[in-house]
Amino acid sequence: MRNVINLANNFTRLGEGPHWDDTNQRLLFVDIFESKIHRWDYATKSFAKPIVLLDPTVGAVVPREKGGLVAAASHRYVSVDEESGQIRTLATVTENVKCRFNDGKCDPRGRFWAGTMGLEDVPAQPIPKQGELFSLGTDLSISKHLTEIDISNGLSWTSDSSRMFYTDTLKLNVRCFKYDVDTGAISEPQVVVTFDKEKHALPDGHCIDSDGNLWVAMFGLGGILKVDTTKGEIVDQIKISDSALRTTSCCFGGPNLDELFVTSARYSQSDLDSGIPLGESGSLFKVTGLGARGLPAVQFKG
């Protein structure tokens, strides 16, 4: 039986980028506009003190194989020493002040992929075509893969590393690319699934299970859509909360990789002023009983 558990109510202003750290049995995720890295321990069910970056935003975080963390913050990749709090720039990807990093994760070889998006005064209404998709190589080199993106979001790779799934939110679809795992090159884009904005809201971050299905967080739906990538069909809908409609991303975690962790965004002050209650918006959720397992997340290997 499915069960949705609220692990931290109204916890983040804009929660994003959940990553299951299998080595340490913990969940990493960010609060974009508070520029915080959060760490939730599975055994103790408690949070470590958040790491606050000097950058105005942080879009994604992953563990580093040699120790510490790597984050995609504002316009740069940074290393984070968890003990000392020292932050060091690894690479700057752009000087475009009209954009910021939003979401990212590592590919099967340990490159850190992350994309940018235009700045926004209203959620999901950014300055258009400001975003780009980058990867940070294990040699700390930067590669640019896509341009003219509105809102860079979900990234997932198949278990055989042959395909990469990617979402530019305002295109209302998930695209699949042929993936060269040796070089990190993408080619032959094809639309896997298209969403109905009125019915499904906006596709945000996603993850992939061991059967190759995508689990897509829908911003405005308060839920997750399961997509059969071989058929290009929505095959299931998981309701998270009627009062946390801005679900932003998800990942499988837990000791057996069979629990789905879901981030969300709090309602804005303008929403609250217009009478929308805070509810469970901005909460961190966990869903059990889905009958699916994820793939182990990859650390940055540079």
Side-chain angles (χ1 to χ4, degrees):
M1 187 174 107
R2 293 176 180 174
N3 188 27
V4 178
I5 304 164
N6 187 332
L7 297 175
N9 196 50
N10 307 139
F11 189 69
T12 51
R13 182 177 168 193
L14 178 50
E16 181 63 275
H19 173 107
W20 181 253
D21 179 1
D22 193 55
T23 300
N24 296 295
Q25 290 293 293
R26 63 179 180 169
L27 182 74
L28 304 174
F29 62 104
V30 301
D31 188 340
I32 289 178
F33 291 136
E34 297 296 323
S35 203
K36 291 179 179 178
I37 296 171
H38 291 293
R39 298 162 292 171
W40 181 83
D41 183 79
Y42 189 89
T44 64
K45 306 294 188 288
S46 63
F47 287 92
K49 182 179 178 181
I51 299 171
V52 183
L53 304 186
L54 296 177
D55 301 79
T57 62
V58 57
V61 63
V62 297
R64 193 176 192 180
E65 190 173 62
K66 63 176 65 175
L69 307 172
V70 178
S74 294
H75 310 113
R76 62 181 184 145
Y77 286 100
V78 298
S79 64
V80 181
D81 186 306
E82 295 188 74
E83 297 300 323
S84 67
Q86 182 179 12
I87 297 168
R88 184 170 64 89
T89 298
L90 298 178
T92 298
V93 299
T94 179
E95 300 298 330
N96 181 3
V97 297
K98 296 180 180 180
C99 72
R100 62 167 176 82
F101 266 126
N102 187 72
D103 208 3
K105 64 180 66 167
C106 289
D107 75 2
R109 289 289 173 84
R111 307 175 186 94
F112 189 178
W113 286 64
T116 57
M117 62 174 284
L119 300 181
E120 53 192 341
D121 291 326
V122 177
Q125 295 183 30
I127 303 171
K129 308 301 180 186
Q130 297 298 309
E132 298 169 303
L133 181 62
F134 301 94
S135 63
L136 176 67
T138 56
D139 60 355
L140 304 187
S141 64
I142 293 292
S143 298
K144 184 189 298 185
H145 302 277
L146 297 172
T147 60
E148 296 190 349
I149 295 164
D150 288 318
I151 303 178
S152 187
N153 256 310
L155 289 155
S156 295
W157 286 265
T158 54
S159 58
D160 66 359
S161 307
S162 66
R163 294 184 296 160
M164 183 188 87
F165 299 98
Y166 175 67
T167 297
D168 179 353
T169 289
L170 298 188
K171 286 184 169 60
L172 297 175
N173 63 35
V174 175
R175 283 181 289 170
C176 175
F177 293 82
K178 182 179 178 181
Y179 194 71
D180 187 325
V181 71
D182 293 322
T183 65
I186 57 175
S187 61
E188 301 178 24
Q190 293 182 327
V191 173
V192 175
V193 62
T194 299
F195 302 99
D196 182 324
K197 183 178 180 180
E198 297 303 316
K199 182 179 180 181
H200 302 130
L202 301 173
D204 209 303
H206 55 68
C207 63
I208 194 167
D209 67 24
S210 58
D211 294 321
N213 301 300
L214 285 182
W215 300 71
V216 187
M218 304 302 292
F219 189 91
L221 182 68
I224 308 293
L225 297 181
K226 179 182 177 182
V227 175
D228 183 327
T229 58
T230 61
K231 298 179 180 178
E233 296 177 357
I234 299 167
V235 294
D236 200 357
Q237 178 172 324
I238 297 86
K239 190 64 181 179
I240 300 300
S241 174
D242 287 325
S243 62
L245 296 181
R246 292 174 177 170
T247 35
T248 55
S249 192
C250 56
C251 75
F252 282 98
N256 299 313
L257 296 177
D258 60 353
E259 302 171 48
L260 190 70
F261 293 89
V262 181
T263 52
S264 69
R266 276 203 303 266
Y267 296 135
S268 65
Q269 188 59 50
S270 60
D271 291 325
L272 300 176
D273 291 342
S274 65
I276 298 176
L278 192 62
E280 294 184 292
S281 67
S283 299
L284 173 68
F285 300 92
K286 181 176 75 170
V287 188
T288 60
L290 291 171
R293 293 186 63 186
L295 301 173
V298 181
Q299 300 179 337
F300 178 61
K301 297 185 184 297

